[in-house]
Amino acid sequence: MTAALAPAAPRPALFQGVNPTFVRYELRRRFNRQTTLFTVLLPAVLYLALFRTAPSGGARLPHGDFAAWMMTGQAVYGAATAAVSSAATISVEKSAGWMRTIALSPLTPPGYLLVKVVCSVLMAGVPVAVVGVLGALTGAHADASVWTLSLLTAWAGSVVFAALGIGMGLVMKPDVVMHMPGLTMTGLAFLGNLFVPLGGTMLEVSRFTPMYGVATLARYPLNEGFSFHGEHSGAAGAVLNLLAWGAGFSFLAVRRFRKSTGRP
């Protein structure tokens, strides 16, 4: 007589354990004074320092001016830096052994990562709003649709860099990762054509860097893809850049997370 097989345990829902209480807790942890001041003040100060540094010749664009171009670039930079800095705090939880505890809790790994990304993206909206207000106060000129589309694109692009922040946080130690996002993102922002208008060889190099895609898409409503030097950057290439880097950063984050939790 064969023994009856026990029914298999039902698989948990993909995002089981995600709830508003956990999201609010994560947001409170991110909106601390030091982090908020850094992620808000730096892009604001850079915008005020650079928005008048237009190239010679008037620097007019199809749907706005140089100040609007710089405002959009600093919105992308601020959103990306805020997302990376916020997501990289996962390093502290890893060092405290929290990652393996999560594996034993009702909160599923995809749910845990989803909350990290969502909170990081919400954090990224703060510098975008601040830079947008500064642009309006300093007389940045652009069509009404440009303000909406460009700033929303800059904000939405922060999802890619939230994945980068998670990957960095899981690779590096807390005392190292707290200093890396600012340095890393500033270097990538320069290469990504956010601080000064690039042209020629530098623009060609820029096309392969992580910030190029979101910066180009965010500025597309403003300049239709044309640089101040007359070169054109297509939206299709920018989308491909964004998707490729997003996939790469997401793969890094998921792989390191699985290793941290001991899951295959």
Side-chain angles (χ1 to χ4, degrees):
M1 186 175 188
T2 58
L5 295 176
R11 297 184 63 181
L14 186 62
F15 299 118
Q16 178 176 300
V18 176
N19 57 72
T21 301
F22 184 40
V23 173
R24 286 195 300 269
Y25 169 74
E26 286 290 322
L27 283 176
R28 283 198 301 270
R29 293 179 59 233
R30 278 159 175 71
F31 281 93
N32 61 72
R33 182 178 302 177
Q34 181 180 352
T35 302
T36 303
L37 285 176
F38 172 77
T39 56
V40 170
L41 286 183
L42 187 56
V45 169
L46 287 173
Y47 169 76
L48 293 174
L50 298 173
F51 83 99
R52 295 184 186 277
T53 60
S56 59
R60 295 294 302 178
L61 295 168
H63 304 287
D65 60 7
F66 179 79
W69 184 91
M70 184 58 68
M71 175 192 71
T72 305
Q74 294 309 311
V76 171
Y77 170 65
T81 302
V84 169
S85 299
S86 174
T89 58
I90 197 172
S91 177
V92 178
E93 298 175 4
K94 175 190 173 185
S95 66
W98 181 244
M99 310 301 301
R100 294 190 178 276
T101 303
I102 288 295
L104 302 175
S105 73
L107 180 64
T108 60
Y112 178 72
L113 292 177
L114 174 66
V115 172
K116 294 293 181 185
V117 171
V118 168
C119 291
S120 297
V121 171
L122 290 176
M123 180 80 178
V126 178
V128 173
V130 170
V131 172
V133 170
L134 284 177
L137 294 177
T138 55
H141 172 74
D143 295 348
S145 60
V146 171
W147 286 83
T148 303
L149 292 174
S150 293
L151 294 179
L152 284 178
T153 302
W155 183 31
S158 65
V159 173
V160 172
F161 299 98
L164 171 60
I166 291 173
M168 290 176 64
L170 295 176
V171 169
M172 302 176 183
K173 296 180 179 179
D175 55 341
V176 176
V177 79
M178 291 300 106
H179 303 286
M180 287 301 296
L183 295 173
T184 302
M185 301 311 290
T186 299
L188 292 178
F190 175 79
L191 292 174
N193 198 26
L194 297 185
F195 294 155
V196 295
L198 301 178
T201 302
M202 286 301 296
L203 182 60
E204 292 304 313
V205 172
S206 174
R207 299 183 196 279
F208 299 95
T209 62
M211 284 196 179
Y212 168 82
V214 62
T216 300
L217 292 174
R219 286 174 172 152
Y220 211 88
L222 174 69
N223 61 7
E224 297 179 0
F226 288 96
S227 73
F228 291 105
H229 307 285
E231 296 155 306
H232 187 262
S233 298
V239 170
L240 180 62
N241 172 282
L242 190 65
L243 293 177
W245 282 106
F249 292 152
S250 298
F251 175 78
L252 171 65
V254 171
R255 182 176 181 181
R256 296 302 305 183
F257 182 81
R258 286 176 174 172
K259 185 175 180 180
S260 298
T261 56
R263 290 175 179 254

